[in-house]
Amino acid sequence: MDNLAYVDDFIMKRKTELIDGVVYMMSPRPRYEHITVSGNIFIMFGIYLKGKSCRTFPDGMDLFLDEKNRFVPDVMIVCDKNKIKHDGIHGAPDLVVEVLSKTTAQNDRAKKKDAYEKAGVKEYWIVDTWSKSVEVYLNNDGRFVLNHIYYYLTDEEIVENNALPDDDMNKIKKIDTEIQVSIFKDFKVKLKDIFEHIE
């Protein structure tokens, strides 16, 4: 085995991502919150897509965007079956979800976001388990536009918020309870279900 083949074999056996031509080691042990939230989203996507032509994939599936970018998204939806190969997904998924961790947040918000945008991903979610929020970006003519930031509030927090006077600067005027998935007109995801079991 020559040196280049050895390096390629090493990279593929370790949990890595290739971002703009640079190899990054991924965290081998994600936090409980990270695994729980990505699992919740994957399950909800899977239930909705049962019997449909689109497929959902969890963390662990390689995504080959181009020769300089190979990612391992936390969750993705792919509607073009020709992109699904034995070794991973080749080409832009329709929807990608990245759950932030302290070591990956900068790449998820910058280099990876830019690569997803350039490749033509239609919808990109950045999920923050600390603030219990979901940023939804939609691709508009080749550029990601922030559609909305959804914040999850518990039932108790909603009651506390509603008890505040209307002129209180801390009062949230519109409380979001679900996300409309843009690539499907009849699919909404409840924030409560995304952050289930997260304290």
Side-chain angles (χ1 to χ4, degrees), residues 19 29 37 41-42 54 57-58 62 89-90 108 126 131 141 146 151 158 160 168 170 175 183 186:
I19 303 174
R29 293 183 176 90
V37 165
I41 294 170
F42 172 70
C54 297
F57 296 91
D62 282 316
I89 307 303
H90 291 258
D108 290 339
I126 296 178
S131 65
D141 294 326
L146 178 62
Y151 291 95
I158 291 172
E160 288 174 12
D168 191 316
N170 294 314
I175 297 173
I183 61 172
D186 62 342

Side-chain angles (χ1 to χ4, degrees), residues 54 77 79 94-95 122-123 138 180-185:
C54 297
I77 292 176
C79 294
D94 294 84
L95 187 152
K122 295 175 185 174
E123 186 167 345
L138 303 180
Q180 170 65 57
V181 180
S182 73
I183 61 172
F184 305 109
K185 292 182 180 178

Side-chain angles (χ1 to χ4, degrees), residues 126-194:
I126 296 178
V127 183
D128 186 336
T129 59
W130 291 280
S131 65
K132 294 183 184 174
S133 66
V134 181
E135 297 172 30
V136 176
Y137 294 86
L138 303 180
N139 203 316
N140 185 4
D141 294 326
R143 300 287 297 176
F144 275 144
V145 176
L146 178 62
N147 177 258
H148 196 67
I149 302 176
Y150 298 85
Y151 291 95
Y152 169 64
L153 298 179
T154 64
D155 293 338
E156 294 79 16
E157 289 170 329
I158 291 172
V159 169
E160 288 174 12
N161 179 75
N162 292 341
L164 293 171
D166 287 339
D167 60 350
D168 191 316
M169 290 178 56
N170 294 314
K171 184 167 186 173
I172 301 169
K173 306 301 183 206
K174 180 182 179 298
I175 297 173
D176 297 302
T177 58
E178 56 190 12
I179 300 171
Q180 170 65 57
V181 180
S182 73
I183 61 172
F184 305 109
K185 292 182 180 178
D186 62 342
F187 185 29
K188 294 182 180 180
V189 177
K190 293 182 179 178
L191 289 165
K192 186 173 187 175
D193 293 337
I194 291 176

Side-chain angles (χ1 to χ4, degrees), residues 17-174:
E17 289 188 315
L18 183 67
I19 303 174
D20 198 23
V22 178
V23 176
Y24 290 83
M25 298 299 294
M26 296 178 69
S27 173
R29 293 183 176 90
R31 293 169 49 246
Y32 162 82
E33 292 84 0
H34 187 285
I35 292 171
T36 300
V37 165
S38 62
N40 289 344
I41 294 170
F42 172 70
I43 289 168
M44 287 182 284
F45 285 1
I47 291 170
Y48 172 79
L49 293 173
K50 188 170 178 63
K52 296 178 173 63
S53 60
C54 297
R55 301 262 321 271
T56 186
F57 296 91
D59 182 9
M61 177 67 80
D62 282 316
L63 167 61
F64 300 88
L65 282 178
D66 56 44
E67 65 279 356
K68 288 188 173 183
N69 293 287
R70 177 186 50 79
F71 303 156
V72 185
D74 290 303
V75 186
M76 56 183 154
I77 292 176
V78 179
C79 294
D80 182 352
K81 66 179 181 180
N82 294 318
K83 294 179 180 179
I84 303 169
K85 309 292 183 190
H86 177 72
D87 62 342
I89 307 303
H90 291 258
D94 294 84
L95 187 152
V96 172
V97 177
E98 294 284 6
V99 180
L100 297 179
S101 66
K102 290 179 181 177
T103 56
T104 66
Q106 185 171 350
N107 282 332
D108 290 339
R109 290 188 179 281
K111 292 180 181 179
K112 288 173 72 174
K113 179 173 166 276
D114 292 345
Y116 287 138
E117 174 186 80
K118 184 179 176 184
V121 171
K122 295 175 185 174
E123 186 167 345
Y124 180 46
W125 292 14
I126 296 178
V127 183
D128 186 336
T129 59
W130 291 280
S131 65
K132 294 183 184 174
S133 66
V134 181
E135 297 172 30
V136 176
Y137 294 86
L138 303 180
N139 203 316
N140 185 4
D141 294 326
R143 300 287 297 176
F144 275 144
V145 176
L146 178 62
N147 177 258
H148 196 67
I149 302 176
Y150 298 85
Y151 291 95
Y152 169 64
L153 298 179
T154 64
D155 293 338
E156 294 79 16
E157 289 170 329
I158 291 172
V159 169
E160 288 174 12
N161 179 75
N162 292 341
L164 293 171
D166 287 339
D167 60 350
D168 191 316
M169 290 178 56
N170 294 314
K171 184 167 186 173
I172 301 169
K173 306 301 183 206
K174 180 182 179 298

